[in-house]
Each structure stands twice: as structure tokens, then as C-alpha cells.
Amino acid sequence: MLRVAVCVSGGGTNLQAIIDAVASGKIVNAQIVRVVSNNRNAYALTRAEKAGIEGICVSPKDFKNREQFNLALLEKLKEADPDLIVLAGFMVAVPACVIDAFRGKIINIHPALIPSFCGKGYYGLHVHEKVLARGAKVTGATVHFVDEDLDHGPILLQKAVEVKEGDTPEVLQRRVMEEAEWILLPEAISLIAQGRVRIDENGITHISDK
Ligand code: GRF
């Protein structure tokens, strides 16, 4: 059984997609063992509580400096003894100590088709604002493994979403969530739980058949 820890910051719709996929059997052989939020007001924590999953808050505001926060985050993640850490709308730069401790075991959902519209400043609604400002006709979402560089690790899954005439950033964000994010993240966890994902020496992922 794959032990999964999910890191969140906000509404938790991606967390909810994972919870629902486990409950419906779309994700087999995995269980969410802990939800960790940097934001005590994140509705994602309420979603975890309603699903009977332990939710905790590790807020930078509760520590005298960033290093102390980083170490506390690492400690709370280690305590859960996860096989996989999922960043689901997590708005905190993952500290190097966490990446070192869980190298190759952290995935993130990015609301664009990496390498487009990613990196510093590309998060949440800002991503969709820039997609619209550029006049892109297709966007989407990406699940990738996390390394020291922002939105840079091996790409695992991607799904394209049409940009429509008259889209606002909010409308486009919702479509990307519904048509891509909420599908890709559960699928990625399921593939990893089935042992079907391999990363080669060039940092390219390969998904084996069932
Ligand atoms: C979404 O835009 C998602 O793409 C990004 O974080 C935002 C909030 O996600 N990763 P959630 O509703 O908290 O899962």
C-alpha cells in the first residue's frame, strides 16, 4: 500500500480529486496518510477532516525564521513515513532538505504544459493570465517530479485543454482544473502505486503497461 502525504495551501480541489479517486477505487493500493498545509485557513484541511484524514498546519508564521520552518516541515513529513509526497496546490517553495530526504518521491501538479508558462511567478491564476495575454490557443496541466529547480523535474503526465474565445483567467483556470488537473493527479498516483513509472538516466519518465 503506497503511503501518500499531500501538501496543500488553499481550496484543496486537487486533494479532493485524490480523496474521491481513492474512495471510488480509481486509485488502488494507495492511502493518504497525512495532509500538510502551510495555511491554517486552507479549506483543504476541512476536506481532509471530512474524509477522516489527519490534517496538520506547518505555517512559516509560527517560526522565527525560514530554516526553522523548513526543518519543521521536513519533520512533519518524515513523521508520516510517506512513500510519495504530492504537492496539490502547495504554494511554498519546497526546501532542499525535503527534496534531499524524498528525492524522486515528490510530484507536483502545474496548471500549464511545462516547459511553457512555468517557473518563477507562474502559479495559480497568474499562469492563466499569462496564457491569455500571450494568446495561446492550447494550455493544460502537467504532473512532474520535483527537484531543486522550480517546475523542472521529469514530466510524468500532461493533458491539453482548449483556450476559448472570451475566456477570463478564472474561467480558464476552472476548465484546466476540471479537464486536466483533477484527472492527471489521481492518475499519476495510481500509476506510481502500481509500480508502473520509471525515470531513465536522461530524466525521461516511462510508463509500463498494466
Ligand atoms: C490550482 O490553480 C492548481 O493548479 C495549483 O494550485 C491551485 C489551487 O489548487 N497547483 P487547489 O484547489 O488548492 O487544489
Side-chain angles (χ1 to χ4, degrees), residues 2-6 15 18-19 22 30-35 53:
L2 190 80
R3 295 172 58 84
V4 180
V6 184
L15 168 66
I18 301 167
I19 291 170
V22 170
Q31 68 172 121
I32 303 172
V33 292
R34 178 171 276 187
V35 171
I53 299 167

Side-chain angles (χ1 to χ4, degrees), residues 4-210:
V4 180
V6 184
C7 295
V8 297
S9 298
T13 63
N14 280 286
L15 168 66
Q16 193 63 56
I18 301 167
I19 291 170
D20 295 347
V22 170
S24 69
K26 273 192 193 157
I27 295 179
V28 295
N29 197 30
Q31 68 172 121
I32 303 172
V33 292
R34 178 171 276 187
V35 171
V36 180
S37 175
N38 63 303
N39 168 11
R40 71 181 67 263
N41 299 317
Y43 187 67
L45 289 173
T46 303
R47 294 181 191 271
E49 186 181 5
K50 287 181 177 179
I53 299 167
E54 182 196 30
I56 63 167
C57 175
V58 182
S59 167
K61 298 188 179 98
D62 296 339
F63 298 91
K64 57 177 183 293
N65 59 48
R66 197 71 190 187
E67 184 58 23
Q68 296 293 322
F69 163 74
N70 291 347
L71 292 173
L73 180 63
L74 174 61
E75 190 47 46
K76 287 302 175 188
L77 286 170
K78 277 184 168 178
E79 224 174 47
D81 189 25
D83 303 302
L84 179 68
I85 294 173
V86 178
L87 310 182
F90 192 54
M91 297 296 170
V92 169
V94 182
C97 62
V98 170
I99 292 173
D100 283 341
F102 294 98
R103 192 165 297 280
K105 297 179 180 179
I106 308 173
I107 61 173
N108 178 52
I109 179 82
H110 181 73
L113 295 175
I114 290 174
S116 298
F117 303 105
C118 67
K120 191 166 172 53
Y122 287 90
Y123 59 90
L125 211 52
H126 299 303
V127 174
H128 308 290
E129 289 165 352
K130 297 199 193 286
V131 165
L132 293 171
R134 183 65 183 83
K137 302 308 175 191
V138 173
T139 187
T142 302
V143 177
H144 64 96
F145 285 92
V146 173
D147 63 15
E148 282 79 2
D149 295 333
L150 207 48
D151 300 332
H152 173 266
I155 291 171
L156 176 51
L157 293 173
Q158 292 189 298
K159 192 169 188 296
V161 174
E162 184 189 2
V163 180
K164 294 183 178 176
E165 191 62 43
D167 270 349
T168 63
E170 292 76 6
V171 166
L172 183 54
Q173 178 179 51
R174 182 77 192 185
R175 187 178 312 123
V176 169
M177 285 171 145
E178 287 176 346
E179 298 182 11
E181 296 179 39
W182 299 344
I183 294 168
L184 290 183
L185 202 46
E187 187 180 335
I189 295 166
S190 179
L191 289 169
I192 293 168
Q194 297 172 62
R196 292 174 51 194
V197 176
R198 174 178 65 86
I199 304 174
D200 70 20
E201 61 281 0
N202 299 312
I204 308 297
T205 64
H206 301 274
I207 298 170
S208 57
D209 291 337
K210 282 192 174 56

